[in-house]
Amino acid sequence: MSFVKYLISGISLGSVYALIALGYTMVYGIAKMLNFAHGDVIMIGAFTTYTICSTLGMSPAVGVLAAVVLCTLLGMGIEKVAYKPLRKASSPLAVLITAIGVSYLLQNVALLIFGANTKAFASVVSFPALELAGGAISVTGETIVTILSCIAIMICLMIFIKKTKAGQAMLAVSEDKGAAQLMGINVNGTIALTFAIGSALAAIAGVLLCSAYPSLNPYTGSMPGIKAFVAAVFGGIGSIPGAFIGGILLGIIEIFAKAYISSQVADAIVFAVLIVVLLIKPTGILGRNIQEKV
């Protein structure tokens, strides 16, 4: 029974990683940028819900909606102010350094507003626990909602990409920005929309993460953000199903490593698995090789 419990916990944690990784993989797949401030958007979303629910006493639904709206606007603002001017930079290091700078900026703003003390985050999930195997296995409401939310969001995202004009525009921009612009596609608007969607997913992931692990501080999003990036690379960055699979596998590996090996080396094992996978298949599980003509 312990194995099943750990498996369910791993899928739950992996679902959070998958939601964050979807934001990474969309931004990279379309804008070819690595937004390392993405993890701190998670933290901003969680703090928004915390303020709305715990401080102002409003309902969890209002708190989650406010977090999604704020993070969506924040993501679009970050793209316009920090990343858009560097889109044609000669060195990709310029974008990377800017992303790190934005990350530290968000962390320090949160420190000034909320302080360094860890806050107790009240779960926004009121779904009852599910008892399995005659009560031997109890699946929390947070776990159920997290897994179902991740699956539903991934399906909706794939339908959006495949069936809508905005989604088709994203695919076109990801293939060739210049050709897409010649076809009348608003490249700047498409990239901004990508950042908006990714940041909205980060807000939902932050709320679900803090509901399952009820603590919150300005550094809450740092390590989950890094692990979600690992999940995106693991699954094949640029691939939506790859981000989902990578996130789930990463969560399972982490929980099993903590349970059966050592919680102190679990993170090291996660990154070691990534190294092995990339040595065997550098593009990730569902990644594809891209041939460039010169």
Side-chain angles (χ1 to χ4, degrees):
M1 291 300 178
S2 296
F3 178 86
V4 177
K5 290 180 182 178
Y6 295 142
L7 180 62
I8 294 172
S9 296
I11 295 173
S12 176
L13 180 60
S15 297
V16 175
Y17 290 156
L19 283 176
I20 308 169
L22 286 172
Y24 272 118
T25 205
M26 285 187 66
V27 169
Y28 181 81
I30 294 168
K32 298 298 183 287
M33 293 180 178
L34 294 176
N35 180 20
F36 279 113
H38 196 62
D40 298 288
V41 177
I42 301 168
M43 174 267 298
I44 296 296
F47 264 120
T48 302
T49 301
Y50 171 83
T51 302
I52 295 293
C53 297
S54 299
T55 306
L56 301 180
M58 296 185 181
S59 68
V62 174
V64 175
L65 181 61
V68 170
V69 171
L70 179 62
C71 287
T72 299
L73 296 175
L74 178 62
M76 295 174 69
I78 290 172
E79 188 276 331
K80 185 173 183 178
V81 174
Y83 298 145
K84 185 178 178 180
L86 300 174
R87 204 175 291 163
K88 296 181 180 179
S90 58
S91 172
L93 282 176
V95 178
L96 180 61
I97 293 170
T98 301
I100 294 172
V102 172
S103 174
Y104 280 114
L105 174 64
L106 294 177
Q107 288 179 12
N108 281 277
V109 168
L111 277 170
L112 288 173
I113 297 174
F114 300 103
N117 294 331
T118 299
K119 309 290 191 290
F121 189 93
S123 175
V124 300
V125 178
S126 58
F127 198 81
L130 180 64
E131 302 294 334
L132 301 175
I137 299 174
S138 179
V139 184
T140 65
E142 288 80 7
T143 296
I144 296 170
V145 170
T146 299
I147 295 172
L148 293 179
S149 297
C150 180
I151 294 172
I153 288 172
M154 189 201 68
I155 292 172
C156 291
L157 198 56
M158 292 185 68
I159 293 173
F160 172 79
I161 295 292
K162 297 290 185 182
K163 301 296 184 180
T164 67
K165 288 185 178 180
Q168 292 296 304
M170 288 180 177
L171 289 176
V173 172
S174 69
E175 290 293 332
D176 190 322
K177 293 185 182 65
Q181 193 165 16
L182 290 174
M183 295 297 292
I185 294 172
N186 184 346
V187 173
N188 291 332
T190 301
I191 293 176
L193 177 61
T194 304
F195 271 84
I197 294 173
S199 299
L201 295 180
I204 296 172
V207 172
L208 292 174
L209 176 66
C210 290
S211 293
Y213 303 91
S215 63
L216 176 62
N217 62 58
Y219 306 105
T220 292
S222 297
M223 186 54 72
I226 293 172
K227 289 179 180 177
F229 173 70
V230 171
V233 176
F234 192 8
I237 194 162
S239 168
I240 291 175
F244 176 79
I245 293 171
I248 297 296
L249 289 178
L250 199 73
I252 293 172
I253 291 169
E254 181 177 339
I255 294 297
F256 279 171
K258 288 180 178 179
Y260 293 112
I261 302 175
S262 171
S263 59
Q264 296 178 339
V265 299
D267 290 345
I269 292 171
V270 166
F271 293 114
V273 169
L274 173 70
I275 293 171
V276 172
V277 169
L278 292 183
L279 287 173
I280 298 171
K281 196 173 189 297
T283 57
I285 296 172
L286 296 183
R288 57 189 177 91
N289 293 315
I290 299 176
Q291 296 181 352
E292 293 186 3
K293 296 180 179 180
V294 295

